[in-house]
Amino acid sequence: MRITFRNLLTLLVSVPFLVLHSCKKEEAKGCDELEESSGRIRFDSMAVGQKSKYLGLLGEEYFANNNIFRYTTDTLIWEVVGHDANGYLIRESMKYVGSEPESPWYAYTKDLVFEFYLNFDNDTLRVTEPGKDFLSSRLAGYRTDDWRLPLNDFNGDYLQVEGWKTSLGYCSCRREAYTTDYEQLGAAYPRLNVLVDNRAMAFDGNGETFVYSKRYGIVRITLYSPWTQRGEAWNLLP
């Protein structure tokens, strides 16, 4: 990872937080207790009032074997604010330091608040925005016709999440895989689904990688462009 002054500053600011909120493998019981009291969004037991926060990440050179990326100070927030016949109503907002977010991808939506629904259909999570063809969300993308996440555990290929990419490398395909003992921002996750959907990259569209589970909800979503080879990820905060 390329170390910059901003990386160092962000790390120094984050260290106390990560020390206080880390879930280490040898502290499994403490991690379970923290998980139960965290109030984060869980797909296996969603409820109004749950809230998940995500830290931004910017990556470069997606096709290369290196891992050039840095965390930003941008934060995305998902909060469950209602429940009705359409599903669970999600309110999405963004926080940033200074006058502009660090990610140029979201500069024009920096102060907008979006609302849409999460609902469950035969162990599949769907994101919908009734009456609209395109979804308004920084985290979930913009497609509503095929934005679906299978929630049952994948039993196919094993992948590692390395830096801001996976060990799969570039492939203009859809791959259902899983990872184990994944650590992110000081928290350890024993098993997670990894869905790599790069089919659109064959037609100059963006690729997407989802790291998630029923218990932890969305842990990371990464979106990247075949033209610039740059990407943006949102990473669940402990």
Side-chain angles (χ1 to χ4, degrees):
M1 182 176 71
R2 179 181 298 167
I3 301 297
T4 65
F5 175 76
R6 187 181 296 276
N7 282 111
L8 181 60
L9 179 60
T10 301
L11 178 61
L12 291 175
V13 171
S14 301
V15 164
F17 178 87
L18 297 181
V19 170
L20 287 173
H21 294 272
S22 294
C23 290
K24 299 304 181 183
K25 298 172 190 175
E26 62 271 18
E27 299 172 352
K29 182 176 180 181
C31 185
D32 290 342
E33 292 173 353
L34 175 61
E35 178 62 32
E36 293 298 328
S37 62
S38 67
R40 293 194 300 268
I41 295 174
R42 294 180 54 155
F43 296 151
D44 60 357
S45 56
M46 287 192 67
V48 175
Q50 291 178 343
K51 181 187 295 186
S52 291
K53 297 182 179 181
Y54 297 86
L55 184 66
L57 176 152
L58 296 175
E60 300 179 25
E61 300 183 13
Y62 180 77
F63 295 149
N65 291 327
N66 56 33
N67 248 305
I68 302 174
F69 71 94
R70 65 179 178 87
Y71 286 102
T72 72
T73 54
D74 302 332
T75 304
L76 195 68
I77 302 168
W78 269 22
E79 183 175 6
V80 184
V81 296
H83 184 212
D84 57 35
N86 292 308
Y88 290 91
L89 182 62
I90 303 296
R91 179 172 297 156
E92 177 186 294
S93 58
M94 183 176 179
K95 302 292 184 182
Y96 52 92
V97 177
S99 59
E100 296 287 336
E102 290 187 53
S103 171
W105 291 38
Y106 304 108
Y108 70 100
T109 63
K110 61 182 182 180
D111 297 321
L112 297 181
V113 176
F114 300 129
E115 290 190 350
F116 45 85
Y117 285 93
L118 299 184
N119 56 66
F120 302 91
D121 180 17
N122 295 327
D123 289 317
T124 297
L125 174 71
R126 299 185 66 242
V127 183
T128 61
E129 194 170 358
K132 293 188 178 181
D133 294 328
F134 297 99
L135 179 68
S136 300
S137 172
R138 306 168 187 85
L139 181 62
Y142 60 90
R143 297 175 298 173
T144 57
D145 57 339
D146 59 356
W147 202 100
R148 305 179 184 189
L149 291 181
L151 293 180
N152 290 330
D153 288 346
F154 292 155
N155 294 310
D157 297 327
Y158 171 80
L159 292 180
Q160 291 181 311
V161 180
E162 303 172 337
W164 76 285
K165 311 174 189 179
T166 72
S167 57
L168 174 65
Y170 173 67
C171 171
S172 57
C173 59
R174 184 182 187 276
R175 184 72 60 87
E176 294 183 357
Y178 71 95
T179 193
T180 57
D181 299 324
Y182 174 59
E183 294 188 13
Q184 175 178 284
L185 297 174
Y189 302 92
R191 194 185 195 282
L192 297 169
N193 281 351
V194 181
L195 174 60
V196 181
D197 192 351
N198 290 346
R199 292 173 295 176
M201 296 182 79
F203 307 98
D204 299 327
N206 292 327
E208 298 171 309
T209 296
F210 307 84
V211 183
Y212 66 98
S213 73
K214 285 184 179 180
R215 176 179 179 181
Y216 299 107
I218 295 172
V219 175
R220 170 184 282 186
I221 286 186
T222 313
L223 182 71
Y224 33 91
S225 166
W227 286 96
T228 65
Q229 296 189 49
R230 295 176 179 173
E232 167 88 26
W234 291 111
N235 309 272
L236 181 65
L237 283 164

